Amino acid sequence: MTSTESITSYLTRRAAEVNAWLDCLVPSEDVEPRHLHKAMRYSLLAGGKRLRPALVLTAGEALGAETDDLMPSACAIEMIHTYSLIHDDLPAMDNDDLRRGRPTCHKAFGEAVAILAGDALLTQAFRVLASEAPRRDAARQIRVIREIATAAGSVDGMIGGQMADIENEGKQVDAATLEYIHRSKTGALIAAPVVVGGIIAGATDDQIDKLRNYGERIGLAFQIADDILDVTSTSEQLGKTAGKDQAARKATYPVVHGVPASRRRARELVEEAVGIVSSLGISTGMLEEIARFIVARTS
């Protein structure tokens, strides 16, 4: 990022770079089974902030890694994120019709194809990660694969958080349960990219710990901000159906703590994250800007 580049222009630029790589890393619509690959690309290349890959790139580059060494892992994380969105939108899960401003994958292609598209993106992500190991530092890439698999998995990861979210729909949850859901369902796959960038760059154990602490705080802040936006924004602003959490009686920060307290908590987490990452002793201005963007965004 240049001294005059804004956070929005920075993220837009990084998203364009990521999209170009994603286009090459996922089979084209000309490759059989064509309908499946079309569905995969429909959801994966539909836009989005590309925050997770941007975190890989920003953290890794701040610690001296080359962009080309970071991109495969950054794109793999985005594939996993998109797979989770496809499955979350299914009738058996959140039953949503709108994602990134257009019909969800199962609305456009049918439920069976949407399930397989999500499965295929998850599988392709690990194919990309494994294929890169011989070309990069193999030991570091194994650590990367383990880090991403854990963040996407069932023990304190995305799938475990989603399960807890489903189990607690319509229930009155305590603050500890709510925080577990948010840190696992959303936060884990935001913290992991920061750590992955550090691993690829050869960061020290102390630096990795700081990156993880930063990532965990912005991950929780991100989901709190999402909870707030669900009750304060329109579907047009969000690019997905507003008010779905309330309609499904989901456990959210505004429900448990109220909107003002939720906003305060998100801001506190961001300031903690900024303080942690600034102690790395390197140039971390963009990581600080991303943290603040997470709670200032409108979609």
Side-chain angles (χ1 to χ4, degrees):
M1 177 180 174
T2 65
S3 59
T4 58
E5 189 176 21
S6 69
I7 178 63
T8 52
S9 63
Y10 175 79
L11 290 175
T12 299
R13 175 168 62 82
R14 298 328 296 254
E17 295 169 7
V18 169
N19 288 341
W21 275 73
L22 287 170
D23 184 45
C24 297
L25 289 172
V26 176
S28 75
E29 296 178 17
D30 295 330
V31 176
E32 295 289 353
R34 296 183 182 184
H35 197 56
L36 175 61
H37 293 146
K38 184 176 181 179
M40 292 166 64
R41 297 173 70 86
Y42 173 87
S43 293
L44 183 65
L45 302 175
K49 292 177 284 293
R50 307 302 194 204
L51 176 67
R52 291 156 188 82
L55 284 167
V56 177
L57 300 174
T58 307
E61 289 169 355
L63 287 158
E66 296 293 329
T67 304
D68 284 0
D69 289 339
L70 296 161
M71 269 294 188
S73 296
C75 290
I77 289 173
E78 187 63 26
M79 291 178 204
I80 293 171
H81 174 55
T82 301
Y83 122 75
S84 75
L85 298 181
I86 293 172
H87 283 194
D88 283 355
D89 290 335
L90 290 166
M93 301 281 278
D94 288 348
N95 192 24
D96 215 330
D97 297 343
L98 189 68
R99 175 68 68 179
R100 290 173 173 167
R102 60 179 182 172
T104 48
C105 191
H106 71 275
K107 283 293 180 182
F109 294 90
E111 290 182 41
V113 174
I115 292 168
L116 292 174
D119 293 344
L121 283 169
L122 174 60
T123 306
Q124 183 69 9
F126 284 99
R127 180 178 182 178
V128 168
L129 290 168
S131 297
E132 286 304 307
R135 298 184 180 89
R136 316 298 176 194
D137 184 302
R140 290 181 190 174
Q141 198 66 8
I142 290 170
R143 288 182 66 192
V144 165
I145 292 169
R146 184 167 56 243
E147 185 72 32
I148 294 172
T150 300
S154 60
V155 180
D156 297 330
M158 179 182 69
I159 293 173
Q162 183 66 38
M163 186 71 242
D165 189 33
I166 291 169
E167 289 178 330
N168 285 282
E169 282 184 6
K171 297 179 182 178
Q172 287 188 330
V173 302
D174 57 26
T177 301
L178 174 65
E179 184 152 325
Y180 169 79
I181 292 170
H182 280 20
R183 285 189 181 277
S184 303
K185 185 180 76 168
T186 302
L189 208 61
I190 289 179
V194 187
V195 175
V196 164
I199 292 171
I200 295 170
T204 65
D205 289 344
D206 179 63
Q207 289 173 323
I208 292 292
D209 286 343
K210 288 179 178 178
L211 290 172
R212 189 181 304 281
N213 289 330
Y214 161 87
E216 287 174 348
R217 282 162 176 77
I218 66 167
L220 180 55
F222 183 95
Q223 185 56 55
I224 294 172
D226 255 16
D227 287 355
I228 295 168
L229 288 170
D230 186 71
V231 297
T232 61
S233 297
T234 66
S235 297
E236 290 73 22
Q237 290 171 317
L238 294 177
K240 59 183 179 180
T241 307
K244 288 287 291 185
D245 291 345
Q246 187 175 8
R249 299 178 63 200
K250 284 185 176 289
T252 69
Y253 257 74
V255 168
V256 175
H257 300 287
V259 171
S262 298
R263 286 196 171 113
R264 285 195 299 273
R265 179 60 176 147
R267 289 195 296 267
E268 288 169 1
L269 287 163
V270 165
E271 291 310 311
E272 289 173 12
V274 168
I276 290 167
V277 80
S278 65
S279 70
L280 279 168
I282 57 174
S283 178
T284 57
M286 182 43 56
L287 288 172
E288 296 173 28
E289 288 297 316
I290 290 174
R292 294 192 171 98
F293 166 80
I294 278 172
V295 296
R297 63 197 169 90
T298 58
S299 65

